[in-house]
Each structure stands twice: as structure tokens, then as C-alpha cells.
Amino acid sequence: MAATRLDQIDRKILAELQADGRMTNVELAKRVGISAPPCLRRVRTLEEAGYIRGYHAKVDARELGFEVQVFAMVGLQSQAEADLSKFEQRCRDWPLVRECHMLNGEVDFILKCVAPDLSTFQNFLTEELTAAENVASVKTSLVIRGAKDEPGVPFDVLEDRLARNA
Amino acid sequence: MAATRLDQIDRKILAELQADGRMTNVELAKRVGISAPPCLRRVRTLEEAGYIRGYHAKVDARELGFEVQVFAMVGLQSQAEADLSKFEQRCRDWPLVRECHMLNGEVDFILKCVAPDLSTFQNFLTEELTAAENVASVKTSLVIRGAKDEPGVPFDVLEDRLARNA
DNA sequence: CGTTTATTGAAATATTATTGCGCGCGACTG
DNA sequence: CAGTCGCGCGCAATAATATTTCAATAAACG
């Protein structure tokens, strides 16, 4: 794995920034056990190498009036690469679709969507998603409640793994 | 909606920090059109009010050797609240499970999981998830590739909406 | 209207980010 | 092995940013 290119300090940096993306560099340096300048240099390197894709505030959608979250399983008629790409591009253009993943199995894509209310989503569903070219089937499930939401990497698992391989 | 309590500047702040969680406060202030001190106060207020749930670096799981991502649909035997909670707690304890959402419909939960490789995931699947108390059925789908991944709020939709209601 | 309350922005101060540079350590070489 | 090269560290100095303080302004209210 590419993680081999990283030493323990780099991984600690990633873990800390994943947990708190606004941590100051001095605090980060203190936690990983080096001084501020090399710490900052490492962060920049990790960013440029693509280990860090960006930093984002986690904004509570429900608090902002997006009370509906839906997972949609989408099946297409054609799975030719050109058609897959076309569908993916449409997902990128739909603001209500926040995530789009291509899957194996009977379903081709899973979409995570948000909407201010059910009628807005239903409108999107019938007018846009189901109606879109090449879409064969759509099954949706409303999110009743969220129990865990920590996208990213389980660094404890990673460290266990590296320790075992060492 | 609770977004009514926020003015346009607050919403702009949220949008900017969602897009770039490490933006400096002076840059943020410049973009939203006020000076730095009140801008910082607004950010703190938004954090305390729960509009901002935290800040996180988006770490690339695949780059770190987590090459497998899986969605798992889980059905339980009992949907009594106590049993639902128990299952949710288990999900929180499993490091490979990064997200857990309760759904309506035939499936009770959808889980987003990561693993270093397929065998690690299959081991988790058979030894932990499927074997867990009260779990009736599990269907999994491997993520072939990701096409969009922007969790959060579509602020353009929100602004449209507010403009229409005004 | 006068008062209260909330929010602002300028200025001052404290922290933090960033750059420049010399040092030490390990690896490669003759 | 000694010499030297290259990498990465930390110290110190500087630039930028965050944060507090405070007086002024504008809206809200009686």
C-alpha cells in the first residue's frame, strides 16, 4: 500500500487533521511530536500528494432546513462506459445529489440525496432522476435517523495493520 | 426552517467554510463582506448553535491502503427501539463501519464500510456483522468507483428557495 | 423621542504561519 | 573507515492571522 511511503508522524498528522481539520499547526506539531515548521511542510506535502483531498466544515443539513435525506439505488439500461460516464456527469450536475457511487451487483449506482422536504425530493425523483436518459429503475429509501457519520479512514485499524506487518 | 434565523451573511459563511474549512478568518471576512472580528464571532456562534458540526480533513482512504469500500444493507429481526439502538451502538464500535443510517422500507440500515482488502471485509462481514445479534439479513455491494462525494448542503438550492419565499 | 440592545469596525495585542538557515544524522563512496 | 552528500530537523526572525477591547452606530422598544 502507498501508506508505506508515510512514516508514523505523517499518519498521525492525517489522523489528527481528519479529527479536527482546523487545528492550528502549532497544536498539530505538539501532538505529533515535532516542531512547527517541519510539521507544516509535511502537511503541505500530504496535501500535494493527494492524501488530503481538502478541508470542509461539516454543516448540519437538517438545521438548514434540508429535512429529507434519501438513498437512491439506480439501475441503468446500458452499462457501456460512455453511458455510465454520462450518468455520473448528470449526478454531478444535480445539486440534490451529494454522493454518487458506482456499485457491483444488480444495482448500478447508489446516490445520497438531500432535499428541503418530501415533495421537493419527489419532484426531483419523478421529473429528473427517473426521467433521465438511460435510467431503468430507481429504488429509494428515506433516512429515518443517522447513527454514525464519520467518513474517512479508521487510523487505529491502519496502525494495527502496519504493526502486524512489521 | 431554522435557516430563517440566519441572515445572508451567515449562510455565506457556512457555504464558504463547507467549501474550504481551513480558510483564514480574514479571507472569509473579505468574501462575506464584513470585517474580521464580527466574522469570527459569527463563526463561533454558528459552531455553538450546531450549524457547524466540526471540521475535517478529507483523507483519501484508497491512498492509505483502504482499497475496498462497501455499502451494506442490513435487515434486523426486531425493530424494537432497544434493539435498534443496540445495533447502532455496535456500528459505532466497529471501526470499519464509517456511516450508519436507519432507513424506511424493507431494509433497516445502510452501512458504509471501508477495508484494506476484500478478505478483511469478508472476515468482518461473516464474523462480525452477519454474526451479530438480531441481524437477519445483509446484502453488500462493492463500490467500483466514486463519481461524486460532496456531503453537506447545496447552498445554491437553499438560496433559491429563500429568494422564492421572500 | 430616549433608552436599551445588538452589532459593527478600528486599533491594539496575542498567536500562529511561514521563511531562512545552520546543524546533525544516516547513506552512499572512494 | 573518513569524507561528503542529501534529507529533515529545529531555532530564530518575520509576516500574517486571530482575538480582545472598546467606542460608535443602527435598529428595537416602550
Side-chain angles (χ1 to χ4, degrees), chain A residues 54-123:
Chain A
Y55 302 88
H56 304 280
K58 192 168 167 185
V59 176
D60 190 309
R62 281 205 158 83
E63 287 286 324
L64 280 177
F66 287 78
E67 305 195 341
V68 174
Q69 300 189 25
V70 184
F71 281 93
M73 326 292 188
V74 178
L76 300 185
Q77 281 159 13
S78 159
Q79 282 81 24
E81 176 55 35
D83 296 314
L84 295 173
S85 298
K86 218 181 281 181
F87 179 73
E88 289 176 336
Q89 186 53 54
R90 259 190 219 100
C91 287
R92 284 186 212 102
D93 292 339
W94 281 320
L96 296 188
V97 176
R98 308 312 298 171
E99 296 180 34
C100 170
H101 310 271
M102 191 189 300
L103 301 181
N104 78 341
E106 51 186 296
V107 166
D108 294 308
F109 288 91
I110 187 168
L111 275 45
K112 191 179 188 178
C113 309
V114 299
D117 50 55
L118 212 48
S119 71
T120 301
F121 177 74
Q122 286 180 345
N123 194 60

Side-chain angles (χ1 to χ4, degrees), chain B residues 24-26 36-37 40 44:
Chain B
T24 66
N25 183 58
V26 295
L40 187 61
R44 298 279 181 257

